[in-house]
């Protein structure tokens, strides 16, 4: 049986494939429509102008939902593992979940408020999504090491930490360079003074975004042993 069809593994698998498709499809449509330069646009640039804005908004909204579902399932997995064999304070796991969900809300804001229409709200949502997302991966990496070797292999822990470290290293220059850009626009000329800031921040943005995708890919193995049960009870007194 395919690994992503076992247990709840389809949840992070769907998150990874859907989010990758969202970025790639929006980029391709935006480039083919002539709305962005093919060389290193911001992710948000590829979802600003119709028709790609509709595709971007719809797909990123669903990605935010899948992200929240994945994070909550991961939270319940760690909670159960911790009850079986204590390795970390439950508060650590809860803080990680809350930050992850806040990051998903940020994704929803990014999807629904285009950068040229409402730039302040859009940028605020992006900041929430990236910063909270990076901190989430760092906390989950620490939890992975604490639960090793009973619940995670050492190699998985190393991979998660490496992705977290790269994302953390990229998010700082991304924010710093983006804050130095004096104007928000879709088309850039290499001769413009802010162009180098745009290039650096765009590279870092794509790095962090796909860092998240590869990080959630490491959850697939953990989710294979998890099953979802829905219980319905009817109260006769009502």
């Amino acid at each position: 049986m395919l690994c992503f069809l076992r247990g709840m593994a389809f949840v992070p698998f769907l998150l990874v494939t859907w989010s990758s498709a969202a970025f790639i499809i929006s980029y391709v449509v935006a480039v083919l429509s002539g709305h962005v330069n093919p060389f290193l646009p911001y992710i948000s640039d590829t979802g600003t102008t119709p028709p790609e804005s509709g595709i971007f908004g719809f797909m990123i909204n669903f990605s935010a939902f899948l992200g929240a579902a994945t994070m909550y399932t991961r939270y319940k997995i760690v909670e159960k593992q911790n009850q079986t064999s204590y390795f970390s304070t439950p508060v650590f796991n809860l803080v990680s979940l809350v930050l992850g969900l806040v990051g998903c809300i940020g994704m929803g804001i990014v999807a629904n408020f285009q950068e040229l229409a409402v730039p302040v709200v859009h940028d605020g949502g992006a900041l929430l999504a990236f910063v909270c997302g990076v901190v989430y991966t760092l906390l989950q990496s620490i939890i992975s090491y604490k639960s090793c070797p009973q619940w995670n292999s050492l190699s998985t822990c190393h991979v998660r930490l490496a992705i977290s470290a790269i994302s953390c290293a990229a998010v700082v220059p991304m924010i710093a360079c983006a804050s130095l850009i004096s104007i928000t626009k879709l088309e850039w000329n290499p001769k413009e003074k802010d162009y180098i800031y745009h290039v650096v921040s765009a590279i870092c943005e794509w790095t962090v975004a796909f860092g998240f995708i590869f990080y959630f890919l490491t959850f697939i193995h953990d989710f294979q042993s998890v099953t979802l049960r829905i219980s319905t009870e009817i109260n006769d007194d009502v």
Side-chain angles (χ1 to χ4, degrees), residues 74 78 81-82 85-93 138-154 156-158 160-161 215:
R74 170 66 179 171
V78 172
Q81 291 173 343
N82 205 31
S85 177
Y86 184 84
F87 55 81
S88 176
T89 172
V91 175
F92 204 69
N93 189 30
L138 286 171
L139 292 179
Q140 284 297 318
S141 297
I142 295 172
I143 290 174
S144 297
Y145 273 104
K146 286 180 174 291
S147 64
C148 180
Q150 182 173 2
W151 301 110
N152 292 282
S153 66
L154 192 59
T156 298
C157 295
H158 290 340
R160 288 176 181 171
L161 182 61
Y215 194 92

Side-chain angles (χ1 to χ4, degrees), residues 18-86:
W18 183 272
S19 299
S20 299
F23 296 146
I24 295 170
I25 292 173
S26 297
Y27 171 82
V28 170
V29 173
V31 170
L32 293 179
S33 300
H35 296 153
V36 297
N37 190 310
F39 181 69
L40 289 175
Y42 283 123
I43 294 174
S44 297
D45 290 352
T46 66
T48 297
T49 309
E52 62 267 19
S53 59
I55 299 171
F56 182 84
F58 169 71
M59 297 192 74
I60 295 301
N61 272 320
F62 192 54
S63 288
F65 168 75
L66 290 173
T70 301
M71 291 172 181
Y72 180 73
T73 305
R74 170 66 179 171
Y75 166 78
K76 298 300 291 184
I77 291 173
V78 172
E79 181 183 56
K80 190 65 177 178
Q81 291 173 343
N82 205 31
Q83 290 172 355
T84 304
S85 177
Y86 184 84

Side-chain angles (χ1 to χ4, degrees), residues 19-20 22-28 38-46 56 130 167 170 174 198-214:
S19 299
S20 299
F23 296 146
I24 295 170
I25 292 173
S26 297
Y27 171 82
V28 170
F39 181 69
L40 289 175
Y42 283 123
I43 294 174
S44 297
D45 290 352
T46 66
F56 182 84
F130 283 111
S167 298
M174 181 195 79
H198 164 75
V199 170
V200 173
S201 58
I203 291 174
C204 292
E205 183 185 55
W206 283 97
T207 300
V208 176
F210 276 94
F212 292 156
I213 288 174
F214 286 120

Side-chain angles (χ1 to χ4, degrees), residues 97-144:
L97 172 65
V98 171
L99 286 172
L101 294 180
V102 171
C104 291
I105 292 173
M107 285 181 63
I109 293 173
V110 168
N112 292 289
F113 297 89
Q114 281 74 35
E115 63 175 341
L116 295 183
V118 199
V120 175
V121 178
H122 178 91
D123 292 343
L127 193 63
L128 278 179
F130 283 111
V131 173
C132 290
V134 166
V135 176
Y136 174 83
T137 61
L138 286 171
L139 292 179
Q140 284 297 318
S141 297
I142 295 172
I143 290 174
S144 297

